[in-house]
Amino acid sequence: MKTSPPLAALILGLLLAAGLMGSAWLVGDTLLKVKSMDRTVNVKGLAEKEVSANIAIWPIQFTEVDNDLKSLYRNVESKTAVVVAFLKSLGFQEQEITVSLPNIEDRQARGYVDPNVRYRYFAKSTVSVYTNNVEQVRLSRGKLTQLLEKGITISTDDYQSRVEYLFTGLNEIKPEMIQLATRNAREVAEKFARDSDSRLGKIKTASQGQFIISDRDSNTPYIKNVRVVSTLTYYLTD
């Protein structure tokens, strides 16, 4: 039995229309799903931790003046030896002590000589301690008067003479802090989802902020505050 051309055309048209309607429904359903997936919430999670410094850098600076350069060098070497012996008496090891070359200034080389300046040469020398015995440094600083009693002029107000405290154990606490920051961020996101009558979905994007190590306060520079902020974006679903 043969189908007439008008009937065949009608059947073909109905099939095409049904196919287009099905395609339109699939596209519409897909668009609705994509649109629902576009609903997101961006949150930040903070983690902070107090730690003790594990490295101390203690520079001891002293000055010397003289009109004779050779005499100046001898005096600097002699007083440097006194400072090193002082540090060893406090329990610091030789490998923890560094002696820097003295900085010598010839005041007459400036071209203008202040008549009130009695000495031509001025020297500044530094003996440094680099140690992980932070507590020993803290206890020892109060004993600098012993050097003053021996005629060694110690610089204490200079920025370069301040003790520097460092924390180098960041890698040991990183995993714990990242986990805490992520958990805090999720708690914020879950609250937002509840308040908006939604449910929290999967993570869309996540980025870890930079770890910042700072002094807890100006009076306790040997206690550090470690801080990190993580940023996460979650999908929201109905």
Side-chain angles (χ1 to χ4, degrees):
M1 178 181 178
K2 293 184 179 180
T3 305
S4 64
L7 181 59
L10 178 60
I11 294 173
L12 180 60
L14 291 173
L15 291 174
L16 288 174
L20 290 173
M21 290 178 63
S23 298
W25 179 84
L26 289 174
V27 170
D29 183 62
T30 301
L31 289 174
L32 287 174
K33 289 181 179 179
V34 171
K35 187 175 181 180
S36 65
M37 291 295 286
D38 283 340
R39 295 177 58 211
T40 59
V41 56
N42 185 268
V43 292
K44 295 182 182 294
L46 169 66
E48 289 185 301
K49 186 179 181 67
E50 280 190 4
V51 295
S52 297
N54 62 331
I55 295 290
I57 304 174
W58 181 21
I60 299 177
Q61 290 188 339
F62 65 92
T63 59
E64 185 68 20
V65 292
D66 207 306
N67 283 320
D68 182 76
L69 190 58
K70 291 183 178 179
S71 176
L72 180 74
Y73 273 114
R74 285 195 300 269
N75 290 336
V76 169
E77 288 181 352
S78 175
K79 292 185 176 181
T80 297
V82 172
V83 175
V84 171
F86 164 74
L87 291 172
K88 288 182 178 180
S89 71
L90 295 175
F92 296 106
Q93 303 301 311
E94 186 171 354
Q95 61 269 22
E96 296 176 315
I97 302 171
T98 302
V99 177
S100 303
L101 290 174
N103 181 18
I104 308 295
E105 179 185 346
D106 183 355
R107 291 168 172 172
Q108 289 187 6
R110 300 176 181 176
Y112 169 76
V113 181
D114 188 340
N116 296 319
V117 175
R118 295 177 53 193
Y119 298 100
R120 174 177 177 178
Y121 298 106
F122 173 86
K124 179 179 286 188
S125 188
T126 304
V127 180
S128 300
V129 175
Y130 185 98
T131 179
N132 57 11
N133 196 341
V134 175
E135 188 64 20
Q136 183 64 27
V137 170
R138 291 183 55 214
L139 295 174
S140 300
R141 292 188 64 202
K143 300 178 181 180
L144 283 174
T145 53
Q146 296 179 20
L147 294 177
L148 297 175
E149 293 172 354
K150 296 179 180 180
I152 299 178
T153 306
I154 302 296
S155 301
T156 55
D157 296 332
D158 193 341
Y159 177 81
Q160 295 179 343
S161 64
R162 70 181 183 90
V163 179
E164 184 177 2
Y165 296 99
L166 306 175
F167 174 70
T168 61
L170 182 59
N171 287 337
E172 298 174 6
I173 64 173
K174 263 186 177 182
E176 175 190 353
M177 293 193 66
I178 293 173
Q179 182 181 15
L180 178 59
T182 303
R183 184 166 66 243
N184 290 342
R186 184 174 182 86
E187 290 175 357
V188 175
E190 286 176 339
K191 184 178 186 306
F192 180 89
R194 289 194 301 269
D195 294 343
S196 60
D197 294 327
S198 302
R199 289 184 301 168
L200 199 64
K202 295 181 178 180
I203 295 176
K204 180 181 180 182
T205 59
S207 64
Q208 174 194 310
Q210 182 180 4
F211 278 85
I212 299 174
I213 303 175
S214 59
D215 297 344
R216 186 183 67 177
D217 55 68
S218 59
N219 296 319
T220 56
Y222 47 88
I223 300 178
K224 303 294 182 181
N225 183 65
V226 185
R227 185 176 189 270
V228 66
V229 176
S230 294
T231 304
L232 295 93
T233 302
Y234 288 91
Y235 287 111
L236 292 175
T237 59
D238 293 329

